[in-house]
Amino acid sequence: MPHTLANPLHNPARLEALRRAGLLDTPPEEAFDRLTRLASKILHAPISIVSLVDEDRQFFKSEIGLSEPWASRRQTPLSHSFCQHAVATGQPLIIGDAREHPLVQGNLGIPNLGIIAYAGIPLISRDGQPLGSFCVIDKQPRVWSDEEIEILKDLAASVMTEIELRTAIRDAERAVEQLHESRTQLQDLFDNATDLIQSAAPDGRFLYVNRAWQETLGYTSEEAAGLSVFDIIHPDQRQYCLALLQSAMDGQTVEWAEVTFIAKDGRSIAVEGNVNCRFENGQPAATRGIFRDITVRKRAEAEVRRAIEKEKELGELKLRFVSMASHEFRTPLSVILSSAELLENYGDGWPTEKKTQHYRRIETSVENMTHMLDNVLIIGKAEAGKLQFTPASLDLEAFCRDLAEEIRLSVGREHEILFECVAGCADARVDERLLRQVLTNLLSNAVKYSPKGSQVRFTLRCDADCAVFDVQDRGLGIPADDQPRLFESFHRAKNVGSIPGTGLGLSIVKKSVDLHGGEITFASQPGAGSTFTVSVPLDGNGK
Amino acid sequence: MKTILVIEDDEFIRDNISALLDAEGFNVMEAEGGRGGLELARGSRPDLVLCDIMLPDLDGYSVLAELRADSAGASIPFLFLTAKAEPRDQQQGLQLGADQYITKPYTRRNLLAAIRTCLGNQASSV
């Protein structure tokens, strides 16, 4: 076997064990010197050595009785070494007279160190590697008794214990060092991670937060030490968070959770991550969370979603417009065409009033269509978010009174329009143009969908913060099925018959009220009429 | 003189149709809603019913269906005049048994031609 043919002194595992013992080239130590002194005294030998056999030398960790220069040098080349043979074989080497011994008779230790008799016990490490030998030397021939060899073996065992002790200490020190090093590496890893890492005591107090956590939330680690998990959780999510921590402390790892943190400056930060718990003796010791800041991603997602939604709505709006236009324009067009044909074919013999009546019908129908188209334009603007809210001071009572009069003179000619001001406001901050849209649409709807001669009541009631407008009719009412969709663009109730309309009026009303930051509600019973109530803040702050 | 019942909720259109039919020598009865129209049709047996589809109380489809279920009203020619211009609306109207289906806006010529066709059909079937 090549292994045995090779010089056992050069065995890398042996040399590694020797290095690990950490004794080469170290100063003398009392613990070893005590043992060499003891051996020399008990065994009546002038020289005793703890010799560590290196690749090309032997180093004396301890010696007693050597002459100079060896005593000071504390080492010799292997040409002077008897110990190397004990190391090479791993067996005790007992020599009565070196000058006659075939193994060592040419050894320079004989002339230089004066070795005649030699007894050496190999020092073998716990993992079986011979590191050196513990020996006693006499300068004259002698016969080593069995008892003496036994004593030497016991002392060698003590030497070995000392060596192992040092190896153990060194190993422990190295382990501590490595631990420290990996701890530093881990700390570095945590600190430099882009994820938010936190560890908290079972009561929620923070034990550790990494740099990304500190930078994202704006707290220093000192500040974080005074905080609890619940201080940085969005108030709405306390219960949810409590449940998360509880399940972690029950031993379940929360693989994925999405929560909202509140930064020091009050910003909301959406994060996702996982939570688990470290246990000591079966008791929860610390919950640990690793989170990623997904605020930007969420914002981008929401934007994309909004854009898609918008695109879909606009597409739908276009479709509804096409269907509305193809349908709703046919009634006024019928009036225009039929009145024109009547005038053309039979008008010659008609009295002037009858002709005028048909011209009026044509004009009214054209106005109707224009009004529908105007509404389409307004809703298009509103859907594109281009409807502006520009509040300015307005006397609401005067405004409403004028508006009621306008309706009375136009679409409401054949109805009874009653305006009542319960409490006015001379300096309301509202957008007059939008408010006009709201009230004109509500009033003309009230007229349009109620029988001729019936009452439309219009009431204004202001308090310190709000203006409330009521528009009440005794008309068709709105079927329950249509009520939820009432404010949708182009939606019209099923009971409107041929009454012309785009289905845009209430949608415009709703959008205008929204821009004011106001509210609209209604109560309606088919056959009995409807009441719309709009309340609008007077401060002009909008939504 | 043939009598035509016009069921139409839009005042201007109803009035204009009446004016046209009157000028063309027909006797005209008017109804604003489906229910009133159905009663008139049952009570006075017009020679033709000209009916809108979208009506606030009872829609034109229902007026036709109820009329066709009557022994007396089953044979009265029925003409839809409506803003519902989709082919499937027309199909539905004809399947229910309408004789003609005219979409708004109508022309004098189309309306009169359709009316004459209906009345002629009826004359030949009697």
Side-chain angles (χ1 to χ4, degrees):
Chain A
M1 283 191 286
H3 185 79
T4 48
L5 288 177
N7 186 341
L9 295 187
H10 294 169
N11 177 1
R14 192 191 77 80
L15 292 171
E16 167 58 25
L18 185 63
R19 301 270 170 278
R20 210 150 50 79
L23 292 171
L24 289 173
D25 303 314
T26 57
E29 283 177 69
E30 182 56 24
F32 292 102
D33 291 347
R34 200 179 296 132
L35 291 168
T36 41
R37 273 204 307 274
L38 205 58
S40 167
K41 193 173 279 174
I42 296 173
L43 299 175
H44 306 289
I47 300 170
S48 174
I49 305 174
V50 173
S51 167
L52 299 166
V53 177
D54 203 354
E55 231 169 334
D56 51 1
R57 60 163 180 161
Q58 55 179 350
F59 169 75
F60 304 146
K61 175 62 187 169
S62 172
E63 58 78 26
I64 186 161
L66 276 181
S67 55
E68 290 299 347
W70 316 107
S72 303
R73 285 189 191 159
R74 302 181 61 222
Q75 62 180 2
T76 74
L78 290 184
S79 52
H80 295 59
S81 172
F82 280 47
C83 295
Q84 61 176 311
H85 300 296
V87 168
T89 58
Q91 299 297 323
L93 180 65
I94 312 298
I95 294 168
D97 188 338
R99 290 163 301 186
E100 287 164 12
H101 195 286
L103 193 62
V104 292
Q105 58 190 0
N107 193 296
L108 294 176
I110 302 169
N112 290 326
L113 279 69
I115 305 172
I116 299 298
Y118 174 94
I121 308 296
L123 297 168
I124 295 173
S125 71
R126 203 178 313 166
D127 47 3
Q129 294 300 338
L131 307 177
S133 102
F134 180 56
C135 62
V136 282
I137 292 166
D138 213 328
K139 292 182 173 178
Q140 54 200 0
R142 85 184 249 185
V143 175
W144 301 99
S145 69
D146 287 348
E147 197 193 347
E148 283 171 329
I149 302 304
E150 284 311 310
I151 289 169
L152 193 62
K153 278 182 179 167
D154 284 348
L155 289 171
S158 294
V159 170
M160 201 54 231
T161 304
E162 288 292 334
I163 293 173
E164 292 289 358
L165 201 63
R166 275 153 189 72
T167 310
I169 290 169
R170 279 184 60 86
D171 282 352
E173 277 171 357
R174 196 166 306 145
V176 167
E177 211 169 274
Q178 276 169 355
L179 200 68
H180 187 73
E181 199 172 298
S182 59
R183 211 189 131 91
T184 310
Q185 275 172 1
L186 271 179
Q187 186 79 24
D188 189 59
L189 205 64
F190 283 146
D191 277 345
N192 291 307
T194 50
D195 285 354
L196 282 55
I197 300 173
Q198 65 179 45
S199 159
D203 67 359
R205 277 177 309 103
F206 283 117
L207 301 171
Y208 168 79
V209 293
N210 75 340
R211 194 155 30 191
W213 190 101
Q214 295 163 37
E215 281 164 7
T216 306
L217 286 160
Y219 291 109
T220 64
S221 61
E222 290 76 22
E223 285 170 328
L227 293 174
S228 125
V229 171
F230 298 100
D231 294 324
I232 60 140
I233 282 291
H234 192 282
D236 295 350
Q237 294 188 328
R238 291 225 165 104
Q239 283 306 317
Y240 172 60
C241 192
L242 204 60
L244 281 185
L245 292 178
Q246 194 52 57
S247 71
M249 286 191 283
D250 289 345
Q252 288 164 295
T253 294
V254 180
E255 300 286 359
W256 185 86
E258 196 176 312
V259 287
T260 307
F261 287 167
I262 301 294
K264 192 180 179 184
D265 63 9
R267 271 179 309 119
S268 286
I269 294 161
V271 297
E272 65 171 21
N274 56 67
V275 181
N276 59 33
C277 183
R278 183 166 60 80
F279 291 88
E280 271 170 20
N281 308 321
Q283 291 297 312
T287 61
R288 294 160 309 181
I290 301 181
F291 299 101
R292 265 166 306 287
D293 183 350
I294 54 166
T295 313
V296 174
R297 195 183 85 199
K298 279 201 80 94
R299 205 178 299 141
E301 275 173 6
E303 267 165 30
V304 169
R305 221 177 301 129
R306 230 181 344 255
I308 291 170
E309 198 54 42
K310 194 93 235 162
E311 202 54 45
K312 235 168 73 186
E313 275 171 20
L314 283 176
E316 211 165 285
L317 210 64
K318 278 184 202 157
L319 269 175
R320 289 205 208 169
F321 169 72
V322 169
S323 134
M324 182 280 293
S326 79
H327 191 246
E328 292 302 324
F329 285 176
R330 288 175 189 273
T331 299
L333 280 173
S334 293
V335 176
I336 294 167
L337 186 57
S338 58
S339 281
E341 282 188 334
L342 287 171
L343 285 165
E344 189 188 344
N345 290 287
Y346 316 103
D348 287 348
W350 281 357
T352 317
E353 303 124 60
K354 192 162 182 189
K355 284 193 223 169
T356 310
Q357 190 190 27
H358 282 281
Y359 288 127
R360 271 284 133 70
R361 283 182 187 173
I362 292 174
E363 284 165 12
T364 307
S365 297
V366 169
E367 275 167 21
N368 267 345
M369 291 179 70
T370 310
H371 178 67
M372 287 195 239
L373 287 174
D374 283 343
N375 276 351
V376 169
L377 288 181
I378 293 174
I379 209 73
K381 234 179 175 179
E383 294 289 345
K386 285 180 184 151
L387 209 55
Q388 297 284 331
F389 174 66
T390 319
S393 175
L394 187 69
D395 180 344
L396 287 182
E397 184 180 351
F399 174 74
C400 290
R401 219 170 269 291
D402 289 350
L403 203 70
E405 191 56 26
E406 271 175 42
I407 297 287
R408 222 171 264 138
L409 295 174
S410 57
V411 292
R413 275 186 308 267
E414 288 164 297
H415 288 70
E416 198 185 342
I417 314 287
L418 293 175
F419 172 67
E420 187 192 358
C421 176
V422 179
C425 173
D427 183 24
R429 302 279 303 169
V430 292
D431 184 317
E432 185 182 338
R433 218 168 32 90
L434 293 179
L435 196 58
R436 181 178 295 278
Q437 285 290 350
V438 171
L439 297 172
T440 308
N441 271 301
L442 290 179
L443 287 167
S444 50
N445 277 354
V447 167
K448 197 158 80 170
Y449 299 110
S450 62
K452 279 176 193 167
S454 66
Q455 257 186 11
V456 171
R457 301 183 73 96
F458 174 27
T459 315
L460 166 67
R461 185 185 299 110
C462 296
D463 60 25
D465 308 315
C466 270
V468 179
F469 308 88
D470 274 323
V471 176
Q472 184 185 10
D473 67 50
R474 294 179 184 164
L476 297 177
I478 303 154
D481 281 355
D482 290 303
Q483 293 190 4
R485 301 185 58 195
L486 202 61
F487 296 114
E488 278 180 28
S489 293
F490 299 113
H491 182 80
R492 297 194 73 201
K494 276 174 205 65
N495 61 343
V496 297
S498 300
I499 300 171
T502 52
L504 290 177
L506 285 178
S507 174
I508 291 170
V509 167
K510 178 78 167 76
K511 290 194 156 58
S512 305
V513 171
D514 285 350
L515 280 170
H516 275 90
E519 271 179 29
I520 180 164
T521 56
F522 64 92
S524 181
Q525 258 195 328
S530 310
T531 304
F532 283 82
T533 304
V534 168
S535 79
V536 165
L538 295 170
D539 58 14
N541 289 337
K543 63 170 178 182
Chain B
M1 199 189 257
K2 299 280 186 190
T3 300
I4 298 178
L5 169 61
V6 177
I7 310 174
E8 165 65 60
D9 67 331
D10 186 271
E11 185 196 345
F12 291 172
I13 294 178
R14 191 173 65 241
D15 200 44
N16 283 1
I17 292 170
S18 294
L20 172 66
L21 298 180
D22 189 51
E24 292 297 323
F26 292 102
N27 188 27
V28 183
M29 291 190 295
E30 296 182 7
E32 281 185 52
R35 255 181 222 302
L38 189 61
E39 263 172 48
L40 261 182
R42 279 171 173 159
S44 351
R45 309 266 184 90
D47 296 294
L48 175 94
V49 176
L50 200 160
C51 187
D52 190 6
I53 290 180
M54 291 180 297
L55 294 162
D57 52 352
L58 185 71
D59 69 21
Y61 297 133
S62 308
V63 172
L64 173 57
E66 292 208 23
L67 202 60
R68 286 285 180 257
D70 282 356
S71 55
S75 61
I76 301 176
F78 199 98
L79 194 156
F80 274 129
L81 177 62
T82 175
K84 288 172 89 74
E86 302 267 335
R88 65 185 149 88
D89 297 326
Q90 183 161 0
Q91 219 172 358
Q92 188 182 352
L94 294 175
Q95 268 169 3
L96 276 169
D99 297 272
Q100 294 282 329
Y101 191 101
I102 300 180
T103 53
K104 295 174 182 174
Y106 63 93
T107 61
R108 173 179 166 270
R109 192 156 33 137
N110 288 349
L111 183 61
L112 290 175
I115 287 172
R116 294 208 168 101
T117 308
C118 285
L119 290 174
N121 282 350
Q122 197 223 11
S124 62
S125 70
V126 167

